[in-house]
Every structure is written in structure tokens, then in C-alpha cells.
Amino acid sequence: MLLTIDVGNTHTVLGLFEGDEVIEHWRINTDPRRTADEIAVVLQGLVNQSPLLVDTDISGIALCSTVPSVLHEMREMCRRYYGDVPAVIVEPGVKTGVPVRMDNPKEVGSDRIVNSLAAINLYGGPAIVVDFGTATTFDCISAKGEYVGGAIAPGIEISIDALSVRGAQLHKIELVRPRHVIAKNTVEALQSGIIFGFAGQVDGLVDRMAEELSDNPDEVKVVATGGLAPLVLEEARSIDAFEPWLTLHGLRLIYERNIGGS
């Protein structure tokens, strides 16, 4: 089985593939203080306790990370505990099949390239990937499968944290859809601003991007991913598909390009 690991600023998502299907997955906090040994203990504990896995044999590893310190420990974990297992770490020099048309291609986060590859493979181009994570990122892929740019906005949780810190009477709230857009109390006012506000942000940016990306904006496929995406899926009219494991699928594809099928 292929183990895929997506290390984000807030959460790390892990998935096990059998062929092209995710058969098990986990989401844990990204802790820059964890050592390679601790990461191995957590990983092996998750695998051993899963009722879906019996005598699991990890035959390959593919990972990407937006946190350099965690990447270092992940690399060490692979070396120490899975030294005989082929591993692909997405970094410069790894074949992705996605040409990057940016002023400085090295500035683009590896997860954004991975997402772009998966979106093109699953839906074709042109496409826009909206990733709801620590930041909300928008990544544009041309009809030729080229990464042509994007945008970065503050994420949902960052915005909530900023409100609770800077607003004396504003506290953290449960993120659920309020009864009305025009709220009648503070909690629902915050919920309305976050849920409907972010949905409007997504629709506005996607509309503008689609016009630049294609002569026929209606042909642009918009794919959402990320742990916070379900909060706005039903409110954002521009989103065509939701792929919770988009990054993991991209990692699988990159592994196959560099090592071969698992």
C-alpha cells in the first residue's frame, strides 16, 4: 500500500492507497516540535488501531510539506523506520508533470502543485482549485495543464482568531449556517459574516479568475478541497466539485511518475 502524507501549517493529513482508492485516512495536528521518532510512533499507532487494516504492508511513501522543520523530521522518519521503502518527497527536482508559469517557480508551495496535478487528472483543464486550509488558496491551471498562478487569502480559522483577539465582545463560535443572513444576535452575526462572507469571496475571485483563464469562463472547472471546505460548499455557487483527498491523489500520481505503481 502507498502511504501519502500532506503536512500543512495546521493539520497533517495521511492516507493509505490500495491502487487508486483511499482505503484509510487520518487528520492530526501539525506539531513542529515532534521528532522523527514521535512521528513514527503516531503513524504506527494510527495504522495498528485501524479496524480497516490487517497486516498492512507499506510499499511506498509520498509526502509534501509546507513546514520546513516538519519536513526535516519526516525525511528522517522515512530513513530510520522505512529505509527499505521507496519514498518520494515533493521538492525541486521531482517530476510532477505540471509546468509552473510563475516569475519564481520555487515560491509556489509543493501542495499547490500537487493539487493542480490531481485536479487536471480528475477533471481536466482549465481548472481552479480552492483549498480551504490555514489560508484559502486559489490555484489556476490552464487547458494545457500548466500552473499559471493564483491568489492567497486569510483562512477561515485565522479570521475567526483575529476577530476574537481584536474584538473585546467577540468570542469564538461554532461554525454552522445561521438561520438568516441578516442576523438577530451576535453569534449568528459572526456565523453569517464568516459563512456567507467567505462564500462571496470565493465566488468573486473565481469569477474574475475564470475570465482571465479562459475565453469561455463556463468551461473552467472549480474544485474545492481542504478541511474547512464543507463550511461554505452549499453557499458558494461557483464550486463544481469537492475532493477532500485531492492532495493525497496528487501525491499518488507523483509517486507513480517517479517510482511506478504501488
Side-chain angles (χ1 to χ4, degrees):
M1 292 183 183
L2 174 65
L3 171 66
T4 54
I5 306 172
D6 170 26
V7 181
N9 289 297
T10 305
H11 294 116
T12 295
V13 179
L14 307 96
L16 275 175
F17 279 88
E18 192 167 49
D20 60 0
E21 181 181 355
V22 178
I23 63 168
E24 184 59 291
H25 55 82
W26 305 273
R27 181 183 297 271
I28 62 175
N29 285 329
T30 297
D31 186 349
R33 299 168 299 177
R34 278 197 186 115
T35 66
D37 298 322
E38 291 172 320
I39 294 171
V41 169
V42 171
L43 172 59
Q44 292 169 3
L46 293 170
V47 171
N48 292 337
Q49 292 183 28
S50 172
L52 301 177
L53 305 174
V54 179
D55 298 326
T56 301
D57 180 23
I58 295 177
S59 58
I61 298 173
L63 72 91
C64 65
S65 174
T66 58
V67 186
S69 60
V70 177
L71 178 59
H72 173 78
E73 295 300 323
M74 282 284 184
R75 199 189 304 272
E76 180 66 10
M77 184 271 293
C78 291
R79 185 189 69 81
R80 291 193 60 185
Y81 292 90
Y82 299 94
D84 58 342
V85 175
V88 174
I89 298 173
V90 183
E91 55 191 347
V94 170
K95 293 183 291 184
T96 65
V98 179
V100 180
R101 307 305 185 197
M102 294 284 286
D103 295 339
N104 184 357
K106 293 182 179 180
E107 288 182 349
V108 183
S110 60
D111 57 327
R112 302 178 75 177
I113 303 303
V114 173
N115 283 346
S116 299
L117 173 62
I120 284 293
N121 182 267
L122 293 172
Y123 298 101
I128 298 172
V129 176
V130 186
D131 189 348
F132 295 86
T134 304
T136 302
T137 58
F138 299 76
D139 298 307
C140 299
I141 310 100
S142 71
K144 298 179 181 179
E146 304 166 315
Y147 182 91
V148 297
I152 301 173
I156 294 175
E157 287 188 342
I158 286 178
S159 298
I160 294 172
D161 289 343
L163 277 173
S164 65
V165 170
R166 300 295 294 272
Q169 298 186 41
L170 302 179
H171 306 289
K172 285 194 174 182
I173 57 168
E174 181 184 5
L175 281 178
V176 295
R177 190 185 192 276
R179 294 172 295 175
H180 306 285
V181 178
I182 302 174
K184 301 299 185 182
N185 58 68
T186 301
V187 169
E188 289 192 349
L190 288 167
Q191 291 168 338
S192 177
I194 293 294
I195 302 297
F196 301 124
F198 271 87
Q201 178 192 72
V202 169
D203 289 338
L205 273 170
V206 164
D207 286 349
R208 290 171 179 261
M209 288 179 165
E211 290 177 357
E212 292 187 11
L213 194 56
S214 173
D215 292 334
N216 180 12
D218 291 337
E219 73 175 353
V220 178
K221 195 76 172 181
V222 182
V223 184
T225 191
L228 299 175
L231 293 173
V232 297
L233 282 178
E234 295 184 3
E235 312 304 332
R237 56 170 173 72
S238 59
I239 294 176
D240 299 310
F242 173 50
E243 287 289 340
W245 316 125
L246 188 71
T247 313
L248 302 186
H249 280 289
L251 287 169
R252 173 183 59 82
L253 293 168
I254 289 176
Y255 180 88
E256 292 171 356
R257 284 177 179 268
N258 288 269
I259 302 295
S262 57

